[in-house]
Amino acid sequence: MASTDPERLLNRLRGVKVVLFDFDGPLCDLFAGYSAESVAEHMKGFLADKGWLLPQFEAYTDTHQLLQDVALAGFPEEIVKGLDGVLVDAERQAAMVAHPVDGAAELIQGLAAKERPMAITTNNSPASVQVYLKKHGLEREFSGRIFGRGEAPGKMKPHPAYLRAAMEELGRVATPGNCLMIGDSVRDLRAARAAQVKFLAYAGIGDRYQQRVDALLTEGADLLVRNMQELVEAFSTAGLSRRGAPVGE
């Protein structure tokens, strides 16, 4: 059973030196002002125009699942790239009006003040993440450490490729045992398991998030927070010194 018990949360943070964030969910509500379902329809329209809308894809409403399954189905490269381009354009527009998650910027800035290495590991396009970070003054905190959908959409989470790329970029400071991923989906949880990193489930406050919570619990998430401020306070309480080392280490 997932819990937000403060002691359990502190236990999860012990030994953590690197934080890997999912983007849409823990940091912002990307499609708050831009319908994700309408984007999926545009993507299917692109496939239909090119003569590649197979019957099994007609009911899709999840943009990432659609792109990933098309990529894995062996479609021609130009079709996969074109479909990805439709999604990139939509994500960039959505990033301009995305709603920040309360407390997320405070958490990022607090971790940066302690020189805690951070990265974003997301199924969204790096271009859309950069748009959002620049608009909200957070680009420096990640110093280009954005690992997202690029040339290989077939390796989107739950594949651990982006998490492994982040750890490789961070070098010896990052090991599976000292990394924590904060994500809001079953895909995030599965990717963290595959990369053997710690996982903390995040879900917003309100009834509209209950389906997400239920899915995470069913998948086996054992620790879930509903408010990012809980993490701000937990990291503060953990008493971490610079570069993420526990005091006295």
Side-chain angles (χ1 to χ4, degrees):
M1 181 70 177
S3 170
T4 56
D5 177 80
E7 188 58 36
R8 294 191 67 221
L9 184 53
L10 287 175
N11 284 337
R12 184 59 48 90
L13 300 184
R14 290 196 176 102
V16 170
K17 296 184 179 180
V18 175
V19 181
L20 308 177
F21 288 95
D22 181 36
F23 174 58
D24 182 15
L27 301 188
C28 71
D29 186 348
L30 181 59
F31 286 100
Y34 200 94
S35 170
E37 288 78 10
S38 68
V39 176
E41 291 304 313
H42 285 306
M43 293 171 70
K44 288 184 286 186
F46 169 84
L47 291 175
D49 289 345
K50 299 296 183 181
W52 284 93
L53 182 58
L54 302 185
Q56 62 263 38
F57 296 132
E58 291 179 353
Y60 276 54
T61 59
D62 185 320
T63 58
H64 290 153
Q65 195 66 59
L66 175 58
L67 177 59
Q68 188 171 43
D69 287 355
V70 165
L72 294 175
F75 280 39
E77 184 178 356
E78 63 269 21
I79 297 298
V80 177
K81 285 186 175 181
L83 187 64
D84 180 68
V86 173
L87 182 53
V88 170
D89 288 344
E91 288 174 334
R92 286 171 60 93
Q93 293 179 55
M96 291 299 298
V97 293
H99 292 180
V101 168
D102 289 341
E106 183 181 353
L107 175 60
I108 291 168
Q109 290 161 352
L111 293 172
K114 296 292 186 181
E115 297 186 6
R116 176 72 60 87
M118 294 176 284
I120 292 177
T121 53
T122 176
N123 282 349
N124 297 114
S125 62
S128 64
V129 177
Q130 290 165 350
V131 167
Y132 178 84
L133 294 179
K134 183 175 181 179
K135 180 178 179 181
H136 294 275
L138 295 171
E139 54 190 330
R140 185 177 64 179
E141 278 75 358
F142 290 95
S143 301
R145 294 188 296 272
I146 302 169
F147 302 88
R149 193 180 75 247
E151 297 300 316
K155 290 188 176 180
M156 287 190 286
K157 294 175 291 185
H159 196 288
Y162 305 153
L163 283 71
R164 288 173 176 166
M167 290 188 286
E168 183 177 350
E169 175 67 22
L170 287 164
R172 63 180 183 176
V173 70
T175 65
N178 68 24
C179 288
L180 172 73
M181 181 181 185
I182 301 173
D184 73 326
S185 71
V186 168
R187 290 175 184 169
D188 294 327
L189 174 53
R190 290 176 177 172
R193 283 174 176 163
Q196 298 182 307
V197 306
K198 296 180 180 181
F199 183 76
L200 179 62
Y202 169 79
I205 300 171
D207 293 341
R208 73 188 184 98
Y209 294 101
Q210 192 57 48
Q211 185 176 1
R212 183 180 304 174
V213 171
D214 292 342
L216 284 162
L217 295 180
T218 299
E219 184 64 23
D222 64 345
L223 189 60
L224 185 146
V225 297
R226 302 295 297 265
N227 186 329
M228 197 59 72
Q229 193 62 39
E230 293 179 67
L231 287 181
V232 173
E233 295 171 0
F235 273 108
S236 177
T237 301
L240 297 169
S241 65
R242 295 171 71 82
R243 298 197 179 279
V247 172
E249 182 177 286

